[in-house]
Amino acid sequence: MPDIKVFKKMKQRNEKIAMLTAYDYPSAKYAQAAGVDIILVGDSLGMVVLGYEDTLSVTLDDIIYHTQAVRRGAKDTFIAADMPFMSFHINLDETRRNASLLIVEGGADAVKLEGGKPARLEAIKAIVDCEIPVVAHLGLTPQSIHLYGGYNIQGKKEKDHKRILEQAKATEEAGAFMLVLEGIPEKLGKEITESLSIPTIGIGAGRFTDGQVLVYHDVLGMSDIKPKFVQSYANLENIIPSSLKKYIDDVKSFKFPAIDNVYQPIDK
Ligand code: KIV
């Protein structure tokens, strides 16, 4: 099982880090077998697994439940679990308790939290102070959609570019061991990556981050929406319905079960 030092070494060696989300036993099993470096139990599970419009309704219990399943499927892979909306905002005691539950009950190795405001930096410090590794997350942070007015690329204007760059440096100073950069111009992703000693993991942040993360369902082509930064490597969106239809057709046309699918009594 890799530890957080491994990821820093990968950055130093210019070895790209492949992060992938997973939400349950089979997705974790496939992710581990494929050799991902780090699994993220993202709060994107609200959309891709639970059918919510956004990530805001995901609870701590949801993440714990799904992280437990992911841990069962990927015993030897480093797992980071997302801290859901409002689980690290109320006060530092609640923040520490919630982070510890993701580790102790969920079985995660690290937690991830969104944002770079001073209160979020305090949250990072408080969690790291409990010996829990933290992945920071800046740029287009989906828990901020109501403030941003939607899923808009962040850091396009000079003053926002500067602010996100400063926040990135501050997350490293606060003790984060890794930084996810989402939905920012490639130039900013590159500048942050070159300014930090911790690895950056991009999603819609260009080609120059130390690693990439994608959502499991996007990689497999099972998502309703397909932003520009997504690359699908399969088309399960078509394969799943056509396979299920074939099963139904076989039942209705007496083709399934066939002779090979049935049990026979022992010959006397
Ligand atoms: O919830 C999630 O899946 C994420 C990644 C997209 C970075 O935060």
Side-chain angles (χ1 to χ4, degrees):
M1 158 89 72
D3 58 51
I4 60 172
K5 291 190 288 303
V6 169
F7 302 117
K8 202 164 195 172
K9 282 207 186 103
M10 288 174 82
K11 177 180 176 111
Q12 288 160 355
R13 289 193 213 114
N14 199 19
E15 221 178 283
K16 291 282 185 185
I17 300 166
M19 179 193 268
L20 180 67
T21 69
Y23 312 98
D24 54 16
Y25 176 80
S27 57
K29 200 175 63 156
Y30 290 129
Q32 175 166 290
V36 294
D37 298 303
I38 173 165
I39 288 177
L40 172 67
V41 185
D43 60 358
S44 51
L45 87 87
M47 286 133 100
V48 297
V49 175
L50 303 177
Y52 297 138
E53 293 260 308
D54 52 47
T55 61
L56 303 181
S57 309
V58 174
T59 66
L60 191 76
D61 284 344
D62 290 333
I63 300 278
I64 291 172
Y65 177 80
H66 285 271
T67 304
Q68 288 169 341
V70 167
R71 177 49 83 203
R72 288 191 287 270
K75 295 196 171 64
D76 304 321
T77 304
F78 193 95
I79 297 172
D82 243 341
M83 295 201 67
F85 182 54
M86 295 313 293
S87 70
F88 53 99
H89 304 69
I90 311 288
N91 60 50
L92 293 180
D93 282 343
E94 230 179 89
T95 299
R96 284 186 272 257
R97 189 173 311 113
N98 290 339
S100 74
L101 288 172
L102 293 174
I103 304 292
V104 176
E105 286 190 13
D109 301 298
V111 301
K112 174 170 85 57
L113 64 88
E114 294 184 9
K117 288 178 181 161
R120 304 295 95 79
L121 299 172
E122 289 309 310
I124 294 174
K125 282 183 202 159
I127 298 168
V128 175
D129 192 50
C130 301
E131 325 300 335
I132 298 173
V134 174
V135 180
H137 183 165
L138 295 175
L140 197 184
T141 45
Q143 292 174 11
S144 319
I145 47 161
H146 294 308
L147 207 59
Y148 294 158
Y151 295 95
N152 305 317
I153 301 303
Q154 301 294 305
K156 282 183 165 175
K157 291 190 186 140
E158 187 52 35
K159 74 171 194 330
D160 297 327
H161 177 114
K162 256 186 164 164
R163 177 181 47 84
I164 296 171
L165 179 59
E166 287 316 311
Q167 288 179 341
K169 291 177 184 165
T171 60
E172 172 164 9
E173 274 159 30
F177 77 97
M178 182 175 270
L179 171 62
V180 167
L181 294 170
E182 178 165 0
I184 56 169
E186 182 173 74
K187 185 170 178 285
L188 177 55
K190 185 169 190 280
E191 208 171 320
I192 293 173
T193 301
E194 288 168 355
S195 309
L196 303 188
S197 72
I198 58 170
T200 59
I201 307 293
I203 174 160
R207 292 163 291 174
F208 304 111
T209 50
D210 298 305
Q212 296 290 328
V213 54
L214 280 179
V215 166
Y216 183 82
H217 296 68
D218 288 341
V219 171
L220 295 179
M222 307 165 72
S223 318
D224 299 338
I225 43 167
K226 196 176 171 206
K228 181 179 175 168
F229 60 80
V230 165
Q231 168 80 38
S232 297
Y233 293 85
N235 192 354
L236 295 199
E237 200 173 33
N238 291 345
I239 292 171
I240 293 174
S242 63
S243 308
L244 299 182
K245 171 126 193 6
K246 196 154 185 339
Y247 158 68
I248 295 166
D249 289 348
D250 280 359
V251 170
K252 298 209 180 268
S253 61
F254 303 87
K255 283 193 189 141
F256 177 81
I259 190 73
D260 288 348
N261 305 117
V262 301
Y263 299 106
Q264 304 293 357
I266 296 168
D267 288 338
K268 287 209 175 135

